[in-house]
Amino acid sequence: MKTLGQIYGLVGFWICLLCLGFQQRSYAESGFEYKHYSDTAKVMTLVRSANVEINKNNLDQAIVLAQQAAIAALETRYMEGRITSLMLLGRAFKLKNDLPNAQKHYFEALDVASDLSNYNFGNLYSEIGLLYRDFGITAKAIEYFSKAIPLVDTQQERTNLLRYIAFAHVELRDYPNALDYYLQLLEIYKKGNNKNSTVLTLRNIADIYSNLAQHDNALF
């Protein structure tokens, strides 16, 4: 069974891939003569294949395919494809428990993205946050989740990030900040009439009040 982090990363990947597909189609529909159009299709094919191998846990093969995609993207100056390829490499190395190589590829993706004028860093920041969370580097996870919040596209993504940050603060025993994020989540769940999540969040809030020795509030 996939963890929430893996599911979140998978959703982020398909969002990136969809954006790449729209971009590629727009070149064709507008008649824009993209010099290496066939090579961009090759990059996308390699990216899809690498993702399939990650989902099958064939990580070494995924790394080979993602490296090929990254090289092909660099040769054609297809920078969005290179970013996606590097993110796949980061994810594959994370699953191999290789933090140095995972960091290397995620931060190379950041460097490439920084040269693009309209790149949305939300998903990339989120994945780096998940990397640090999964390796227990909690303060860094909070840093990157916080960077991602104003940049993500959907309320569900924002809610996930708030939940990750709230739990990370609990792990650090930073209960006042954890409480602040759980209260934000509580408002979101109440507005969305999400009863199960509301109840769970109230329990988390009660636990925090108990840790803060505010037992009267814990009973609300």
Side-chain angles (χ1 to χ4, degrees), residues 54-197:
I54 286 177
N55 291 335
K56 291 161 60 177
N57 206 37
N58 293 332
L59 300 178
D60 291 333
Q61 181 62 18
I63 288 168
V64 170
L65 291 166
Q67 287 172 334
Q68 291 174 0
I71 291 169
L74 180 61
E75 290 174 346
T76 58
R77 303 297 298 166
Y78 185 29
M79 292 299 100
E80 292 85 355
R82 182 162 174 80
I83 293 166
T84 303
S85 303
L86 291 167
M87 290 173 67
L88 277 174
L89 285 165
R91 195 175 309 146
F93 280 112
K94 181 182 82 168
L95 292 171
K96 286 173 70 73
N97 293 314
D98 186 342
L99 177 60
N101 270 313
Q103 286 184 121
K104 172 188 172 184
H105 289 94
Y106 276 124
F107 281 98
E108 188 174 349
L110 278 178
D111 287 340
V112 175
S114 67
D115 291 330
L116 301 180
S117 58
N118 296 314
Y119 187 80
N120 187 323
F121 287 82
N123 184 55
L124 183 48
Y125 285 150
S126 296
E127 287 213 22
I128 295 172
L130 289 169
L131 171 69
Y132 284 128
R133 184 201 67 176
D134 292 349
F135 277 88
I137 308 173
T138 308
K140 296 293 289 184
I142 292 171
E143 176 186 342
Y144 280 93
F145 289 147
S146 298
K147 287 181 177 182
I149 284 178
L151 301 175
V152 293
D153 295 323
T154 68
Q155 181 63 43
Q156 184 59 56
E157 290 174 295
R158 182 172 181 270
T159 301
N160 287 337
L161 289 165
L162 289 171
R163 190 172 68 252
Y164 295 154
I165 294 172
F167 185 74
H169 280 298
V170 171
E171 287 190 320
L172 293 175
R173 298 186 180 182
D174 181 358
Y175 298 120
N177 273 316
L179 178 61
D180 177 63
Y181 281 97
Y182 276 124
L183 289 172
Q184 291 182 56
L185 283 167
L186 183 61
E187 288 303 309
I188 292 170
Y189 292 141
K190 283 182 174 179
K191 287 179 181 177
N193 198 30
N194 189 332
K195 294 181 180 178
N196 289 336
S197 294

